[in-house]
């Protein structure tokens, strides 16, 4: 057993960040120098990036203020009520007693397809007390005056000088109406509502309702097929609602079985990580051999086929729509043969050159499995981070809904309503409250105050303006990005500190500190909140820029020229790549912060230079790890998906007594698969963080130490064996 000398056997707590002189070396291109005081994550450190921490706190307080504003002045119930073409809420204010929204040309709306639910309907919409009970078109209205009540409220048919045809053409009156029923406060044709009762198809229902002889505002006849095509989008919406209710029923009936599937996914994910300790090498080399074998056979087959058809006139003919492609078989097989041989040669060359580095990557992956196995708390910790992220998203979603409702208040014309005044000219507060109580549970108006209407009902005035809502929504979205990335950064730095403690323990597990994960979490909160805020801020800024570019691309779609479209695609691609790079840099910077306790910029610089000096090793380890994680996720998710399919489909006979009665047996299967993917991602992200942390520690170990008695390596024995290195004491023992 190797025993270190007193000068070298220092614990982590003996190391002070202030004494890390080598870490501040000016020449970044040179390898790190040996420091006898460095034994892993420092315990004595100072707060980093304090200014950014204060800025983050201020912005969080600003988010609280925005939330207070949203919850005080917003009313999500208003989002459920429809709004007419004059931006008045049906059932409130001047539209009180008219709770339903009527579309003049519902068929024209439906022709827009599903986009009508996003972009809105381009036809006139008015609030009505009740929906039309029978189908008619405007020629009939000339004979039966009572049906003219669906014209705009501003149109007085007794005094207007417009001809009736002009009223219809200008959409002051509807060209036709379909017999309707209220659905979510919208007048929906009965033929659609009957679909919910599974009473025939839409076409059959329209024929049964005798929907014939209708014409639009341009006097164009509307056949049953035209109306059916126009109403298809709404039929899909109603069907989706029906299916949604059935899906909820299935979830209620099978919820405990879904939970069992999640528990099984957790067990399989943990088992896979443990097995990686022994089978990582087999999986990697087997895949490499299969890859070489596939391209070797491809090269042989292509060249064999080429020589078979050489000097012949045989050709391939491919028909695509109205076009036909013809090319020579000889050239076809020759081209694919050359491509296969080139890929095979490149792969074999890479294997010959990088074989040693692939072995290093496999050894690090095995060691990462040991690290995770020795600190099982690291597998549970990401669940808390995930809960934090979900909480942030939930807060953002609720506050965004409340904010959206602040701009949807009805337009109250209270100044012109004589009922709000007393005989002496003062305000009748009771009447004001009667008109507003249906919208607000409490109106912050002072009954004793005097002044303008805006002073009497500040809530209504502010809500009517709503001009700052969009800016608050942007701020809210930016804070969502910042806080979610902050949570991710917290999880990465905490795990990095724990796994670094594992690597720099000379004798494992004896030298591993007590509660390494809790200690690392404490260091994050005590010293590095500013660093976490700094790194997550950079990512949040890039993400908000990407959102802006997507919005700009959507607004300019259809009107941009090819050059503008090209530059827009380039910008979107560049910022996507920039975000990926910054995330990679941030992750490694957090690892260096967790180890050395320096600020974000210094740590990012040191991490980048350390990686740059070992760029080939980094690429190999990164890609091999990505491959193994992909295989792991596919096997875990695929295995659980197959098991859930056989169970819910009733193919496992001895478990059929536990199988519930479902509308769609695929519902619990989809939920199990999605949940399994999330669970597997949580487990394998921990594993990936372990690999990245141990790899940076390994690179630093190689540069700082040389295996002598004074500078022994901390890497595991299998890594030293692969590299052909040994600590001096081991060589003396062998002698």
């Amino acid at each position: 057993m190797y025993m270190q000398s007193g000068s070298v056997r220092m614990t982590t707590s003996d190391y002070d960040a202030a004494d890390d002189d080598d870490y501040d070396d000016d020449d970044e291109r040179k390898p790190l120098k040996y420091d006898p005081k460095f034994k892993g994550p420092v315990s004595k450190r100072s707060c980093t990036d304090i200014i950014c921490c204060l800025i983050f706190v201020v912005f969080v307080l600003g988010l609280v203020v925005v939330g207070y504003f949203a919850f005080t002045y917003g009313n999500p119930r208003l989002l459920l009520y429809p709004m007419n073409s004059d931006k008045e809420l049906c059932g409130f204010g001047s539209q009180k007693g008219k709770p339903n929204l009527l579309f003049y040309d519902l068929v024209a709306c439906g022709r827009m397809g599903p986009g009508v639910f996003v972009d809105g309907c381009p036809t006139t919409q008015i609030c009505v007390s009740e929906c039309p009970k029978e189908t008619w078109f405007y020629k009939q209205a000339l004979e039966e005056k009572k049906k003219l009540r669906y014209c705009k409220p501003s149109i007085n048919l007794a005094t207007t000088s417009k001809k009736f045809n002009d009223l219809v053409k200008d959409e002051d009156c509807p060209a036709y109406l379909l017999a309707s029923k209220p659905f979510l406060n919208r007048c929906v044709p009965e033929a659609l509502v009957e679909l919910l009762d599974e009473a025939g198809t839409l076409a059959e229902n329209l024929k049964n309702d005798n929907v014939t002889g209708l014409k639009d505002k341009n006097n164009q006849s509307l056949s049953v097929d035209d109306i059916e095509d126009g109403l298809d989008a709404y039929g899909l919406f109603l069907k989706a609602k029906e299916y949604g209710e059935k899906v909820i029923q299935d979830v209620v009936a099978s919820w405990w079985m879904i939970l069992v599937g999640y528990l099984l996914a957790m067990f399989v994910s943990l088992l896979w990580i443990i097995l990686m300790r022994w089978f990582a090498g087999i999986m990697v080399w087997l895949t490499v051999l299969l890859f070489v074998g596939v391209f070797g056979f491809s090269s042989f087959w292509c060249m064999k086929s080429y020589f078979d058809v050489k000097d012949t006139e045989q050709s391939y003919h491919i028909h695509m729509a109205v076009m036909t492609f013809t090319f020579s078989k000889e050239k076809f097989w020759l081209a694919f043969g050359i491509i296969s041989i080139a890929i095979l040669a490149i792969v074999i060359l890479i294997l010959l050159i990088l074989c040693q580095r692939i072995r290093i990557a496999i050894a690090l992956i095995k060691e990462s499995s040991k690290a995770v196995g020795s600190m099982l708390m690291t597998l549970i910790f990401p669940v808390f981070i995930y809960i934090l992220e979900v909480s942030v998203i939930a807060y953002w979603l609720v506050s965004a809904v409340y904010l959206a409702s602040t701009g949807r208040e009805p337009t109250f014309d209270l100044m012109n309503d004589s009922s709000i005044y007393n005989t002496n000219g003062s305000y009748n507060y009771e009447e004001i409250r009667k008109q507003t109580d249906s919208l607000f549970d409490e109106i912050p108006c002072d009954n004793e105050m005097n002044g303008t209407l805006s002073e009497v009902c500040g809530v209504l005035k502010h809500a009517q303006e709503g001009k700052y809502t969009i800016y608050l929504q942007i701020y809210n979205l930016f804070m969502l990005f910042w806080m979610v990335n902050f949570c991710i950064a917290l999880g990465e730095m905490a795990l990095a500190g724990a796994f670094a403690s594992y690597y720099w323990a000379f004798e494992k597990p004896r030298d591993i500190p007590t509660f390494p994960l809790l200690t690392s979490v404490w260091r994050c909160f005590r010293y590095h909140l500013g660093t976490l805020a700094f790194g997550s801020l950079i990512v949040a800024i890039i993400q908000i820029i990407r959102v802006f570019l997507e919005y700009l691309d959507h607004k300019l779609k259809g009107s941009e020229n090819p050059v503008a479209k090209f530059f827009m695609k380039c910008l979107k691609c560049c910022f996507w790549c920039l975000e990926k790079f910054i995330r990679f840099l941030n992750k490694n910077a957090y690892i260096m912060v967790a180890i050395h306790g320096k600020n974000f910029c210094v740590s990012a610089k040191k991490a980048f230079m350390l990686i740059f000096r070992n760029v080939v090793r980094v690429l190999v380890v990164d890609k091999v790890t990505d491959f193994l994680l992909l295989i792991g996720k596919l096997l875990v998710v695929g295995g659980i998906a197959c098991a859930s399919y056989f169970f819910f489909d009733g193919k496992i006979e001895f478990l059929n007594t536990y199988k519930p009665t479902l509308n769609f047996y695929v519902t619990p299967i989809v939920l199990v698969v999605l949940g399994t993917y999330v669970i597997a991602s949580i487990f394998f992200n921990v594993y990936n963080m372990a690999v990245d942390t141990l790899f940076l520690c390994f690179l630093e170990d190689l540069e700082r130490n040389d295996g002598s008695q004074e500078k022994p390596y901390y890497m595991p024995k299998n890594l030293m064996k692969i590299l052909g290195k040994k600590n001096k004491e081991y060589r003396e023992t062998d002698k």
Side-chain angles (χ1 to χ4, degrees):
M1 182 68 67
Y2 169 69
M3 299 296 293
Q4 291 178 291
S5 63
S7 61
V8 178
R9 289 283 297 163
M10 297 178 65
T11 63
T12 301
S13 60
D14 296 326
Y15 176 62
D16 191 341
D19 297 329
D20 191 8
D21 298 329
D22 173 67
Y23 197 65
D24 294 323
D25 190 8
D26 292 332
D27 194 349
E28 306 295 346
R29 294 169 296 180
K30 294 181 179 179
L32 297 173
K33 297 179 180 178
Y34 170 70
D35 183 358
K37 298 179 181 179
F38 177 74
K39 300 299 171 191
V42 301
S43 58
K44 297 180 181 179
R45 54 180 75 193
S46 58
C47 295
T48 55
D49 300 299
I50 300 175
I51 295 178
C52 199
C53 181
L54 295 176
I55 294 174
F56 180 69
V57 171
V58 171
F59 271 72
V60 171
L61 292 177
L63 184 64
V64 173
V65 173
V66 172
Y68 173 79
F69 167 82
F71 298 139
T72 301
Y73 298 116
N75 190 342
R77 289 181 299 169
L78 301 179
L79 297 176
L80 301 177
Y81 293 99
M83 184 179 288
N84 66 14
S85 299
D86 295 325
K87 305 301 180 183
E88 298 172 313
L89 281 177
C90 296
F92 301 100
S94 61
Q95 301 299 319
K96 195 170 185 179
K98 301 177 181 180
N100 302 313
L101 186 68
L102 176 66
F103 297 84
Y104 274 11
D105 193 354
L106 197 58
V107 173
C109 298
R111 285 172 178 167
M112 296 180 62
V116 69
F117 299 111
V118 178
D119 300 324
C121 184
T123 190
T124 299
Q125 305 155 44
I126 64 170
C127 301
V128 296
S129 57
E130 59 180 14
C131 297
K133 295 182 179 179
E134 56 184 331
T135 300
W136 68 279
F137 70 102
Y138 72 96
K139 293 293 186 182
Q140 295 173 323
L142 293 174
E143 303 172 0
E144 303 179 41
K145 300 294 185 182
K146 62 179 182 179
K147 295 180 180 177
L148 299 181
R149 64 181 180 273
Y150 294 109
C151 291
K152 287 182 179 179
S154 60
I155 298 298
N156 189 332
L157 294 173
T159 60
T160 182
S161 59
K162 273 190 174 183
K163 294 181 180 180
F164 196 83
N165 289 342
D166 293 333
L167 290 173
V168 171
K169 191 171 184 179
D170 296 339
E171 289 200 350
D172 291 324
C173 294
Y176 66 91
L177 291 173
L178 300 175
S180 306
K181 291 181 179 179
F183 181 80
L184 297 179
N185 294 104
R186 276 84 172 169
C187 292
V188 177
E190 291 181 353
L192 286 175
V193 178
E194 290 168 0
L195 289 177
L196 295 178
D197 301 326
E198 299 183 357
T201 63
L202 178 58
E204 292 172 350
N205 294 338
L206 289 172
K207 290 178 181 179
N208 293 336
D209 293 342
N210 195 26
V211 181
T212 57
L214 300 185
K215 295 184 178 181
D216 61 15
K217 65 179 183 179
N218 298 317
N219 204 29
Q220 298 293 325
S221 297
L222 296 173
S223 65
V224 173
D225 292 338
D226 294 331
I227 299 174
E228 181 185 2
D229 292 340
L231 298 182
D232 267 345
Y234 302 100
L236 293 174
F237 172 76
L238 296 179
K239 277 294 183 183
K241 178 179 180 296
E242 178 189 5
Y243 289 141
E245 292 173 350
K246 291 182 178 180
V247 166
I248 293 175
Q249 293 174 1
D250 291 344
V251 173
V252 172
S254 59
W255 66 270
W256 69 270
M257 302 167 197
I258 296 174
L259 291 181
V260 171
Y262 293 161
L263 292 175
L264 185 61
M266 294 175 63
F267 173 77
V268 174
S269 298
L270 178 60
L271 180 63
W272 180 264
I273 289 177
I274 294 174
L275 291 177
M276 290 284 283
R277 185 182 306 182
W278 295 284
F279 298 112
I282 296 175
M283 291 174 56
V284 172
W285 290 117
L286 180 62
T287 304
V288 169
L289 291 177
L290 287 175
F291 187 89
V292 172
V294 167
F295 274 91
F297 177 78
S298 173
S299 302
F300 163 76
W301 184 260
C302 289
M303 297 310 297
K304 177 181 178 299
S305 300
Y306 164 70
F307 285 109
D308 289 342
V309 298
K310 187 178 181 182
D311 299 327
T312 65
E313 300 297 330
Q314 300 180 35
S315 301
Y316 285 115
H317 304 277
I318 299 178
H319 301 278
M320 297 182 62
V322 295
M323 302 180 64
T324 301
F325 297 93
T326 303
F327 45 87
S328 169
K329 286 186 177 182
E330 179 182 353
K331 294 180 179 179
F332 173 83
W333 289 114
L334 178 62
F336 274 91
I338 293 174
I339 293 173
S340 295
I341 293 174
I343 294 176
L344 179 64
I346 292 172
V347 170
I348 293 177
L349 186 62
I350 290 175
L351 289 176
L352 293 175
I353 297 175
L354 302 181
C355 180
Q356 185 81 345
R357 290 179 171 84
I358 294 176
R359 293 176 63 197
I360 294 173
I362 295 172
L364 281 170
I365 290 169
K366 292 180 178 180
E367 193 66 20
S368 299
S369 181
K370 294 180 183 179
V372 173
S374 64
M375 295 181 288
L376 291 178
M377 189 64 185
T378 56
L379 295 175
I380 302 175
F381 175 71
V383 176
F384 298 101
I385 299 298
Y386 186 73
I387 292 174
L388 280 177
E389 293 176 23
V390 171
S391 301
V392 170
I393 295 173
Y395 176 84
W396 166 79
L397 185 61
V398 173
S399 59
V401 170
Y402 272 85
L403 275 175
S405 65
T406 60
R408 270 185 71 89
E409 303 296 347
T411 305
F412 287 98
D413 193 12
L414 294 179
M415 292 295 290
N416 298 323
D417 190 346
S418 59
S419 64
I420 71 168
Y421 297 99
N422 294 320
T423 55
N424 60 0
S426 61
Y427 291 112
N428 185 338
Y429 296 99
E430 292 300 325
E431 183 62 28
I432 291 176
R433 289 182 184 280
K434 286 181 182 179
Q435 296 192 34
T436 57
D437 276 347
S438 58
L439 289 174
F440 302 95
D441 296 329
E442 181 180 357
I443 300 296
C445 301
D446 187 356
N447 286 344
E448 303 299 327
M449 67 180 291
N450 293 313
T452 63
L453 181 62
S454 61
E455 293 172 331
V456 177
C457 272
V459 174
L460 293 179
K461 176 180 181 297
H462 184 84
Q464 288 170 12
E465 292 177 357
K467 57 184 179 181
Y468 297 112
T469 302
I470 183 63
Y471 302 109
L472 295 179
Q473 290 283 25
I474 294 174
Y475 178 83
N476 205 30
L477 180 63
F478 173 73
M479 287 306 298
L480 168 70
F481 292 149
W482 195 355
M483 295 185 70
V484 167
N485 285 295
F486 181 88
C487 295
I488 296 173
L490 174 62
E492 290 178 346
M493 187 180 291
L495 290 173
F499 291 128
S501 299
Y502 171 88
Y503 184 93
W504 295 108
F506 190 80
E507 294 184 12
K508 304 173 181 64
R510 191 190 72 179
D511 293 342
I512 299 176
T514 307
F515 304 120
L517 181 59
L518 292 179
T519 303
S520 181
V521 172
W522 161 250
R523 287 197 296 261
C524 291
F525 279 101
R526 173 63 179 83
Y527 300 107
H528 304 305
L529 286 180
T531 300
L532 297 174
F534 193 0
S536 54
L537 172 63
I538 299 173
V539 179
I541 292 174
I542 296 174
Q543 288 176 331
I544 203 70
I545 293 175
R546 291 186 62 196
V547 169
F548 173 74
L549 290 176
E550 291 292 343
Y551 172 78
L552 192 61
D553 187 38
H554 174 74
K555 297 298 288 185
L556 296 178
K557 192 165 292 184
S559 61
E560 56 188 334
N561 57 47
V563 176
K565 187 175 181 179
F566 171 77
F567 279 108
M568 182 61 67
K569 296 296 182 184
C570 289
L571 282 173
K572 290 165 65 176
C573 179
C574 290
F575 276 96
W576 180 85
C577 295
L578 179 61
E579 181 180 345
K580 294 296 181 183
F581 174 74
I582 292 299
R583 285 189 179 278
F584 171 79
L585 185 63
N586 281 6
K587 188 177 185 179
N588 290 283
Y590 296 146
I591 295 173
M592 301 303 279
V593 173
I595 298 173
H596 298 281
K598 297 294 183 178
N599 62 45
F600 178 83
C601 292
V602 172
S603 300
K605 181 181 178 182
K606 294 293 182 181
F608 180 80
M609 296 309 300
L610 181 61
I611 292 171
F612 183 76
R613 292 194 297 268
N614 300 272
V615 64
V616 178
R617 283 175 175 165
V618 172
L619 290 175
V620 173
V621 171
D622 185 57
K623 295 310 172 186
V624 171
T625 304
D626 288 345
F627 165 74
L628 287 180
L629 293 181
L630 176 63
I631 295 295
K633 286 183 182 180
L634 290 178
L635 288 177
V636 172
V637 175
I640 300 299
C642 290
S644 60
Y645 166 75
F646 284 112
F647 173 75
F648 289 108
D649 195 36
K651 296 185 181 298
I652 306 178
E653 295 183 359
F654 68 93
L655 292 178
N656 281 345
T657 54
Y658 301 99
K659 188 177 79 71
T661 302
L662 303 171
N663 297 301
F664 313 107
Y665 73 88
V666 74
T667 298
I669 296 176
V670 170
L671 292 177
V672 168
V673 170
L674 292 177
T676 300
Y677 179 80
V678 172
I679 292 171
S681 296
I682 291 175
F683 276 78
F684 286 106
N685 285 345
V686 173
Y687 190 81
N688 192 26
M689 196 68 207
V691 173
D692 290 340
T693 303
L694 296 186
F695 181 55
L696 281 189
C697 293
F698 163 73
L699 296 179
E700 193 164 337
D701 190 13
L702 278 178
E703 293 189 353
R704 286 184 180 275
N705 304 311
D706 59 6
S708 62
Q709 182 176 356
E710 295 77 14
K711 298 184 288 184
Y713 290 118
Y714 283 77
M715 68 185 71
K717 296 179 182 178
N718 58 338
L719 268 176
M720 285 192 284
K721 183 178 180 181
I722 292 173
L723 296 173
K725 299 179 182 293
K726 287 185 179 181
N727 285 328
K728 183 178 180 181
E729 283 66 26
Y730 287 117
R731 291 196 295 271
E732 291 177 353
T733 303
D734 293 339
K735 293 179 182 179

